[in-house]
Amino acid sequence: MKTMPFKFLMSFTILFVFSSYSVADDVCFRCIVKNEYHLTDDGQLIKPERYYYLNSSFSVDRATGKIIGGVFENTGDYEKSVIDAGSFKVFSFSKERGVAETLAVRSQQEGKKKPFVGIDYLQTIVTGVCE
């Protein structure tokens, strides 16, 4: 009888830990930048001489669109709009700074890794994968 509460507690703990991992994937994307391109004055996309965001990472709250870390951080005075229909998109803009940024993740793609593309306020385009 004394082992029953221990077994229950262990089972509950294991179930809670594993369910937390599956819920975290539904709540947040964790992304890494794999490519970076800059827009030239004549409208071409080029690989830069110096990379600013390559291999950087960021996290995206799927409910609010809040992005922490990396190229698209939109904390502070940014207003955010989220569209999650077929693919996940966040539009962030700051009236105070006069900047806008866009991030699109192919959230419906099969598998753990979901490709993304984004444009920051300097018209730098980054691509990579989110999980």
Side-chain angles (χ1 to χ4, degrees), residues 28-94:
C28 181
F29 283 120
R30 290 165 195 82
C31 308
I32 186 162
V33 175
K34 299 287 187 174
N35 290 292
E36 179 178 337
Y37 305 93
H38 292 192
L39 182 63
T40 65
D41 291 341
D42 63 352
Q44 295 185 35
L45 289 175
I46 61 168
K47 293 222 176 212
E49 291 180 21
R50 179 174 177 233
Y51 291 95
Y52 296 96
Y53 305 116
L54 193 64
N55 296 317
S56 66
S57 61
F58 58 92
S59 296
V60 184
D61 183 312
R62 293 181 69 168
T64 66
K66 183 177 182 178
I67 301 172
I68 298 175
V71 59
F72 300 110
E73 184 152 333
N74 61 7
T75 57
D77 68 328
Y78 279 89
E79 294 183 37
K80 300 165 257 319
S81 294
V82 175
I83 298 173
D84 196 356
S87 72
F88 176 84
K89 297 171 188 70
V90 176
F91 302 98
S92 306
F93 60 96
S94 168

Side-chain angles (χ1 to χ4, degrees), residues 35-37 58 71-72 90 101-105 115-121 123-128:
N35 290 292
E36 179 178 337
Y37 305 93
F58 58 92
V71 59
F72 300 110
V90 176
E101 300 178 329
T102 304
L103 173 69
V105 180
F116 77 84
V117 63
I119 304 173
D120 78 352
Y121 69 96
Q123 285 84 39
T124 299
I125 297 175
V126 297
T127 63

